[in-house]
Amino acid sequence: METILVKAGGFLFMIALGFVLKRIGLFSLNDSGLLSKLVLKITLPMTIISNFRGLELNRSYLMAIGIGFGVHIAAIAVVLLLTRKKSPAHKAFYIINTSGYNIGLCTLPYMSSFFAAEAVALVCMFDVGNAIMCFGITFAIATMVSKGREGINGKEILKTLFSSMPFVTYLVMIILCAAKVQLPVPVYTVAGMIGQANAFLAMLLIGILFEPKINREELKDMAGVFCLRMGLGVAFALLIYYFLPVPLMYRQILSIIVFSPILSVAPIYTERCGYNRSVAAVLNSMMLPFSMVVMTILLMILQVY
């Protein structure tokens, strides 16, 4: 337990460090663009490549991809049911911010510090389904709800999906893995070296982006999304833990990652669908440390360390 608390505390310290460095002027929100590019286009893809070293696809990994799809679809269905009387922009806000997980910037580097590559690969598999939904299908549904079918631009959605370096890396590595093709050992070694910077840069970026500014008028929508995410997280975790036919450790990991933070690009998608971007940004900032605390508590309860 001491080890998990030290590691969790270390990640929270990195987030706090980023926030403090921004407050004293060493960094600014403008620097987040560069850090985001470093993480999403370099260190995170290198981490993904490193985690695929020696990996062989099995039923559990394929099932994790399906879970990544399934939790999204279930969340969207629940949101559409509960928000049927709200305005189109409000519906889109709930769809985008209730479904979707920030695996790459938060959960993957966090879980990588506790588990071996085989277990971390399961997180990557879940993120494949998550990424396809987040960067394509979910946004398409939200756009359809907010603007009608004529508002959907298929080319733009495909461009967004395939411009995501983590998604493309997942796709390429899965294809290679399915074909039983392994990259040269030096490639995995160098990728692992570069990927080691991912956790620190990702947590530092989260701290720089953290802006706890709350607009009281829209607090109700924020509270609604928060309650939905937590309620759905509990439901998904229980279903996965007790009914998914995979090894215990895999069920434990999947039960934890459904409490991951909101997708980092959610504020951008929220604005495109006609809702106030700042509300989504504040919600995103507040959910980051909360989700990490929840995942840490679950790691201790399930004794996955």
Side-chain angles (χ1 to χ4, degrees):
M1 184 177 293
E2 180 181 354
T3 301
I4 190 172
L5 288 175
V6 170
K7 288 184 176 181
F11 275 97
L12 291 175
F13 173 76
M14 293 176 199
I15 294 175
L17 179 64
F19 181 73
V20 171
L21 291 177
K22 180 186 66 174
R23 296 287 292 182
I24 64 176
L26 188 59
F27 289 105
S28 68
L29 283 175
N30 294 330
D31 297 316
S32 64
L34 175 60
L35 283 175
S36 180
K37 288 179 181 179
L38 283 173
V39 171
L40 291 175
K41 297 184 182 297
I42 299 178
T43 61
L44 177 55
M46 291 299 104
T47 300
I48 294 168
I49 292 172
S50 177
N51 286 331
F52 271 82
R53 182 174 186 172
L55 183 68
E56 294 183 4
L57 287 180
N58 57 39
R59 186 172 63 92
S60 297
Y61 288 151
L62 295 175
M63 192 171 293
I65 297 175
I67 295 296
F69 277 107
V71 293
H72 268 268
I73 295 171
I76 292 171
V78 171
V79 167
L80 289 175
L81 178 65
L82 297 179
T83 62
R84 58 188 182 277
K85 294 183 180 180
K86 292 185 177 292
S87 68
H90 278 77
K91 290 180 182 179
F93 168 76
Y94 273 85
I95 289 172
I96 292 169
N97 291 277
T98 300
S99 62
Y101 303 99
N102 189 352
I103 302 296
L105 287 180
C106 185
T107 305
L108 184 57
Y110 184 62
M111 299 294 273
S112 296
S113 68
F114 294 103
F115 301 103
E118 178 186 0
V120 175
L122 188 75
V123 181
C124 294
M125 294 297 112
F126 177 91
D127 197 29
V128 172
N130 176 64
I132 293 173
M133 291 296 297
C134 286
F135 297 114
I137 300 173
T138 300
F139 180 52
I141 294 173
T143 304
M144 181 176 65
V145 168
S146 65
K147 300 180 181 179
R149 293 186 179 275
E150 66 277 7
I152 296 179
N153 188 323
K155 291 183 179 180
E156 181 181 351
I157 292 170
L158 288 175
K159 181 180 178 181
T160 301
L161 185 60
F162 283 94
S163 64
S164 168
M165 192 65 74
F167 170 75
V168 173
T169 306
Y170 281 139
L171 188 62
V172 170
M173 295 307 296
I174 286 175
I175 291 173
L176 292 176
C177 192
K180 297 184 178 180
V181 175
Q182 287 289 312
L183 298 173
V185 173
V187 173
Y188 291 112
T189 302
V190 174
M193 292 170 59
I194 298 173
Q196 287 179 350
N198 188 62
F200 175 69
L201 290 178
M203 295 303 118
L204 192 71
L205 175 61
I206 289 170
I208 293 173
L209 290 173
F210 188 83
E211 288 291 338
K213 298 177 181 178
I214 301 175
N215 185 331
R216 292 185 179 181
E217 295 180 359
E218 294 161 315
L219 184 62
K220 185 177 180 180
D221 284 336
M222 294 171 59
V225 169
F226 173 83
C227 292
L228 275 174
R229 284 189 72 91
M230 289 300 102
L232 288 169
V234 171
F236 293 151
L238 291 174
L239 289 172
I240 290 169
Y241 188 81
Y242 288 107
F243 298 105
L244 196 66
V246 296
L248 176 61
M249 184 180 69
Y250 289 1
R251 286 186 279 126
Q252 291 172 325
I253 292 173
L254 290 172
S255 297
I256 293 171
I257 62 179
V258 293
F259 289 96
S260 299
I262 300 172
L263 189 70
S264 57
V265 297
I268 298 173
Y269 287 166
T270 296
E271 184 178 44
R272 290 183 183 179
C273 290
Y275 195 86
N276 188 350
R277 171 180 174 172
S278 63
V279 178
V282 173
L283 179 63
N284 198 305
S285 296
M286 295 181 67
M287 285 295 297
L288 284 168
F290 183 83
S291 293
M292 289 193 66
V293 170
V294 172
M295 289 191 290
T296 301
I297 292 173
L298 289 174
L299 281 168
M300 291 188 291
I301 292 176
L302 297 175
Q303 297 183 346
V304 193
Y305 54 91

